[in-house]
Amino acid sequence: MIFKRYKFIIRFALIAVSLVSLVLFYWQFYSQYQYEIAVFENRFQEEVTQIDNTLKTATDYVEQLQLQANSFYTIAQVGYSESLLLDSLQPQLIDDLPYYSLDQIPEPYSAQEVGNLTGFGIISDRPSSFYRELEMAFSLNPILQTARKMMGNGVFAYYLSTEQFINRAPWTSSQQFHFEPKLLKYESLNLAKPQNNPKRQQFWTAAYLDTTNTNLIVTHGAPVYDGSHFCGTVALDLKLDFLTQILEHLQWQVGQSFLLNNRNQVLGYANSQPDPNTESRLVWSSDDVLTPTLQEKIQVIATSNTVSILDRGPNLIVFQRLHQAPWQLVHIVPKATIVLPLLLRLGVGWGLLILGLILSLLIADRLITREFIVPANQLIAHIRSVNQETTTPIPDVPDDWRPWFETISEISDANQKMTAQLVQKEKMSSLGQLVAGIAHEINNPVNFIYGNLSYVQSYSRDLLELIELYGKETTTESFEITEKLEEMDLEFVQDDLQNILRSMETGADRIRDIVVSLRSFAQLDEMGEKQVDLQQGINNTLMVLERRLEGIGLCKDYQDIPKIQGYASQLNQVFLNLLNNAIDALEERDSDNKNIRINTETVLLTHEGAANPAV
C-alpha cells in the first residue's frame, strides 16, 4: 500500500511540475509575442512616415506651383524668359490637325530647364489673356523641373489649361507627347473646377491610364485662378510603379504590403501578386488582396492617424491612414513568421529545463525505489520467512540494509539453537527474545518511514499552494491548461493527497502499535514483580498468536478487574501455553465449529475456599 501511494505522489509531482512549467512557458511566450508585435508596429510606423515624407514632397511642390501661378497673376509681371519662350512656340500639324509646341528650344535654354508646352489650335490672333496664361505657364518651368528631378523618373509635373494647352516636364518632343483634348475630361482637371472644388484645395485622383496608354498613374493637383476666373490645374503625375518601388525599398522581410486609396484601388504593392484566378484588369481592386470582412474592419477601425492592428486567423494585419493622401498602407504578416521563431527560441531552453526536471524526478523515483521501497519489502518477506522457520538466503540488497537481514538471520539461528537446547525449560524465554528482537528490527525502518511522512506532507502542501497561488496571479487562461486541469480533477487530487498521507500515517502508527505490543509481550525490559494488567497481557498474547488463530472463532468477555501484583513475563507465558494447548486441541477436532471464549471477572474466596462472584 505504501509503495502504491508513493508511486501516486511521484506521478502527481511530475504532472504538477509539467503544468507549472507549461504555464510559465506560455506566459513568457505571450510576453515575447507582444514585444515582437510592438517592434513590428514601431517599424511599420517608421515606414508610414517615410511614405508620408515622399508624398509631402509632392504636396509641397504642388503648393509651390499653385502659389507661383497665383503670384504671377497678382504681380502681373512678365519676365524676359517668358517672352523669349513665347516667341519660340511654333505651329505644326499633328494628324492633320493644327498644333503649336516648343519643340525648338531657344538659346540659352536647354531641355533640362524647360518643359515642352504643346497646345491645340493656332497660336496667332488670340486674346491677350491667352498669351498672358502662356507666360504664366512658362514662369512655372523652374518649379516643374525641380519637382520632376527631386521626385524621380516616376513623376511628371505640368500645368494643364482650359485653353487646351499643357506645359509638361520633363521636356519631350511633341511627337512623343502633346496636348490632346481628352485631357480636359480627366479627373486631373475636373477635380479642380469650381463646382467640384469651391475651396480651391489640393486633391488626389483615382488611378488611371495616361494618354500614351503606357503608364498607370495617380495625379496630385491644385486649381489655378486668375482672380475669380478658373484657368486650369498644376499637378504631379505619379506612376503606380513609382509607388510600388517606394514600398519595395522599405525592405520588409516578411509579409505583403499594399497601398490602397479611397477608391478601392491598389496603388502599390510589395512581395505580392494578384490571385491568378482573378479577372485581368489594369488596376487591382482591394477585393483582389483583402477579404470583404477584412476591408470592412479596416474601414471601421482606421479613423485615426495611428497604427491599427488586427490579430485575426493565421495573419496579423497592420494598417494606418496616411497624412498626406487619402490612402492607407496595409501590411499582412503570417503569424507563423513570428510564432515559429519564438517557439524555437523559447522551446529549446524550456524543453531542456522540463526534461531535466522530469529526469530528476524519475531518477529520484528509481533511487528511492531501489534503495528503500524494494529492500523494505524484501525485509518484510525475510521476516515472514524467518517467522515460519524456513531457511531463506539473504537477497541482493544495498549494503546499508544487509546488516538488518543478517541480524534477523542471526537471531533466527540463535533462537533455533536455543530452542533445541531449552525445549522445555527456556522455550518461552527464547520466544520472547525473538519477538523482542524482531520488534526492534522492524521498529527502525518503520521509524524511518514515519519520520519522513511529515516532510512529505509539508512538501505536498507547499506544492499545492504554489499551484493555487500561480492560478490566482495568472490573468490569462490557456485552453490546454484548463482542459488538463479538468481532466486530472485538481480539486480531487488536492483533497485525496491529504487523505493518502493520513492513511500512510495511520498505517505507520498501526505498525508501531504492533511493535509495542510485541515488546510488551516479551517484557524483557521489565524484570521483577509489579502491578500487571491481566487483560492487556491476554491481548498481547493473542496478537502473538494471531496467525494460529486463523479459522478459529474468538469471543472475549472482559469484565472490569483490578490490576494484580505479579511477574508480567511469566504470566504472559502462562497465557501463551493455555492458548497454544486450546488451539492444538481444536486442530485435532474434525469439526468446522471451532471457537475459543475468554472470560475475565473478579471473584471472592470464602473461608471454606469456595469461590463466589463478587458484585
Side-chain angles (χ1 to χ4, degrees):
M1 177 63 71
I2 295 176
F3 181 74
K4 292 181 178 179
R5 299 296 189 188
Y6 166 76
K7 283 293 185 183
F8 175 80
I9 293 173
I10 290 295
R11 293 191 184 99
F12 176 77
L14 287 172
I15 295 173
V17 169
S18 300
L19 286 176
V20 172
S21 300
L22 288 174
V23 170
L24 293 176
F25 171 78
Y26 175 78
W27 174 79
Q28 186 174 9
F29 168 79
Y30 181 78
S31 299
Q32 288 292 323
Y33 179 71
Q34 294 299 319
Y35 171 77
E36 293 293 334
I37 291 179
V39 171
F40 188 83
E41 182 179 351
N42 291 335
R43 169 72 188 282
F44 184 81
Q45 180 68 61
E46 293 175 359
E47 310 305 349
V48 170
T49 301
Q50 292 185 32
I51 297 174
D52 262 331
N53 289 338
T54 300
L55 298 180
K56 180 65 165 58
T57 302
T59 58
D60 287 345
Y61 279 120
V62 170
E63 184 178 7
Q64 292 180 37
L65 289 170
Q66 186 183 33
L67 291 174
Q68 173 61 28
N70 293 335
S71 175
F72 181 90
Y73 284 122
T74 301
I75 299 175
Q77 182 177 358
V78 179
Y80 168 77
S81 60
E82 288 79 13
S83 299
L84 181 60
L85 294 173
L86 180 61
D87 294 338
S88 300
L89 291 174
Q90 298 295 324
Q92 64 184 112
L93 291 177
I94 300 177
D95 297 332
D96 296 330
L97 296 174
Y99 278 88
Y100 54 91
S101 67
L102 192 65
D103 281 351
Q104 300 297 323
I105 302 175
E107 295 182 354
Y109 298 103
S110 65
Q112 286 73 33
E113 298 171 313
V114 298
N116 193 352
L117 191 150
T118 62
F120 179 74
I122 59 175
I123 194 171
S124 59
D125 299 328
R126 305 287 288 268
S128 60
S129 60
F130 170 75
Y131 299 107
R132 187 181 182 203
E133 187 175 355
L134 289 176
E135 291 168 346
M136 184 277 293
F138 282 127
S139 72
L140 300 177
N141 275 332
I143 302 177
L144 293 176
Q145 289 289 351
T146 302
R148 200 273 309 171
K149 291 178 181 179
M150 294 301 295
M151 294 294 294
N153 295 329
V155 176
F156 300 98
Y158 59 88
Y159 169 71
L160 176 63
S161 172
T162 57
E163 294 293 336
Q164 302 190 70
F165 71 83
I166 184 171
N167 186 19
R168 182 173 177 266
W171 184 93
T172 53
S173 68
S174 59
Q175 298 298 322
Q176 295 175 316
F177 177 84
H178 58 83
F179 173 84
E180 295 184 42
K182 63 182 179 180
L183 284 173
L184 300 180
K185 298 180 181 180
Y186 284 3
E187 276 191 335
S188 56
L189 185 66
N190 288 331
L191 292 179
K193 292 179 178 180
Q195 62 270 27
N196 298 326
N197 193 352
K199 295 184 180 180
R200 305 181 183 183
Q201 296 177 337
Q202 296 185 17
F203 58 85
W204 289 90
T205 69
Y208 62 97
L209 192 64
D210 66 4
T211 57
T212 63
N213 294 325
T214 57
N215 296 308
L216 285 170
I217 60 175
V218 60
T219 299
H220 180 50
V224 175
Y225 283 80
D226 180 3
S228 60
H229 172 68
F230 174 66
C231 299
T233 179
V234 288
L236 296 180
D237 286 345
L238 281 67
K239 294 182 181 179
L240 298 194
D241 291 343
F242 172 75
L243 298 176
T244 296
Q245 290 174 4
I246 294 176
L247 294 182
E248 291 176 345
H249 288 162
L250 298 180
Q251 297 181 349
W252 291 97
Q253 296 180 352
V254 293
Q256 302 174 338
S257 297
F258 303 99
L259 195 60
L260 309 177
N261 67 3
N262 55 355
R263 309 289 187 89
N264 202 35
Q265 293 177 317
V266 178
L267 304 181
Y269 57 89
N271 303 327
S272 308
Q273 291 296 333
D275 188 342
N277 297 323
T278 303
E279 180 183 355
S280 176
R281 54 174 65 91
L282 292 176
V283 183
W284 293 5
S285 168
S286 58
D287 296 334
D288 299 333
V289 295
L290 300 174
T291 64
T293 302
L294 184 57
Q295 290 184 65
E296 181 180 353
K297 291 180 178 179
I298 290 177
Q299 293 299 329
V300 171
I301 297 177
T303 57
S304 65
N305 294 326
T306 59
V307 177
S308 300
I309 297 178
L310 283 177
D311 192 349
R312 298 289 187 272
N315 295 319
L316 192 69
I317 298 94
V318 188
F319 56 94
Q320 181 177 346
R321 189 180 65 179
L322 301 181
H323 295 75
Q324 301 300 325
W327 303 343
Q328 291 186 41
L329 180 61
V330 180
H331 192 75
I332 302 176
V333 184
K335 287 185 184 176
T337 60
I338 301 176
V339 172
L340 292 181
L342 280 180
L343 290 177
L344 181 62
R345 186 166 66 248
L346 298 177
V348 172
W350 276 95
L352 292 176
L353 176 61
I354 295 175
L355 181 61
L357 290 174
I358 292 176
L359 288 178
S360 298
L361 287 173
L362 291 176
I363 292 173
D365 174 51
R366 294 296 299 274
L367 288 176
I368 294 176
T369 301
R370 186 184 67 186
E371 299 294 331
F372 175 73
I373 300 297
V374 173
N377 288 335
Q378 291 175 326
L379 178 62
I380 294 173
H382 188 68
I383 293 173
R384 289 175 178 172
S385 176
V386 170
N387 188 49
Q388 295 173 2
E389 299 181 354
T390 57
T391 302
T392 303
I394 297 177
D396 184 14
V397 295
D399 295 338
D400 293 339
W401 286 78
R402 183 167 293 276
W404 298 359
F405 287 85
E406 292 175 350
T407 300
I408 293 174
S409 298
E410 291 172 0
I411 293 175
S412 176
D413 293 340
N415 179 68
Q416 290 178 3
K417 292 178 182 179
M418 191 176 298
T419 302
Q421 294 174 0
L422 304 173
V423 174
Q424 300 296 328
K425 189 175 182 179
E426 300 293 337
K427 180 177 180 182
M428 296 310 300
S429 177
S430 300
L431 181 60
Q433 293 178 1
L434 176 62
V435 170
I438 293 175
H440 176 73
E441 294 301 324
I442 293 175
N443 195 46
N444 288 333
V446 169
N447 286 337
F448 177 79
I449 297 172
Y450 192 84
N452 283 284
L453 280 176
S454 61
Y455 296 104
V456 174
Q457 291 175 329
S458 176
Y459 297 158
S460 63
R461 283 195 301 270
D462 292 343
L463 185 56
L464 291 174
E465 289 175 359
L466 175 60
I467 294 175
E468 182 179 359
L469 179 60
Y470 190 83
K472 294 179 180 178
E473 292 295 329
T474 303
T475 58
T476 58
E477 295 185 355
S478 167
F479 175 77
E480 290 83 358
I481 293 177
T482 303
E483 186 180 30
K484 188 62 180 178
L485 289 175
E486 293 176 355
E487 178 183 347
M488 68 177 290
D489 195 356
L490 182 59
E491 294 182 357
F492 170 78
V493 172
Q494 290 175 330
D495 295 335
D496 193 53
L497 180 58
Q498 299 301 320
N499 295 333
I500 291 171
L501 293 175
R502 285 193 291 271
S503 298
M504 294 174 65
E505 186 176 6
T506 301
D509 288 335
R510 174 61 178 163
I511 296 175
R512 294 181 69 181
D513 292 339
I514 294 173
V515 171
V516 171
S517 297
L518 291 175
R519 293 177 63 87
S520 297
F521 172 80
Q523 298 290 338
L524 295 179
D525 55 346
E526 298 178 4
M527 303 301 294
E529 186 177 355
K530 66 167 193 173
Q531 291 288 321
V532 179
D533 186 347
L534 295 178
Q535 294 179 356
Q536 182 65 38
I538 295 173
N539 289 334
N540 291 339
T541 304
L542 290 173
M543 185 173 294
V544 173
L545 295 173
E546 184 176 5
R547 180 176 173 276
R548 293 201 66 192
L549 289 171
E550 293 179 359
I552 297 176
L554 181 63
C555 177
K556 294 188 292 184
D557 183 15
Y558 292 166
Q559 303 295 327
D560 292 333
I561 61 175
K563 293 183 179 181
I564 66 171
Q565 193 74 14
Y567 296 91
S569 179
Q570 295 179 12
L571 286 171
N572 288 341
Q573 292 177 12
V574 171
F575 298 148
L576 182 64
N577 290 334
L578 290 173
L579 289 170
N580 270 326
N581 291 337
I583 294 172
D584 291 339
L586 289 174
E587 289 178 349
E588 293 176 0
R589 293 173 55 183
D590 186 14
S591 173
D592 294 332
N593 186 16
K594 299 178 180 181
N595 296 286
I596 294 178
R597 184 175 183 273
I598 302 174
N599 173 258
T600 63
E601 60 181 353
T602 303
V603 298
L604 296 178
L605 295 176
T606 63
H607 292 290
E608 291 76 20
N612 292 326
V615 181

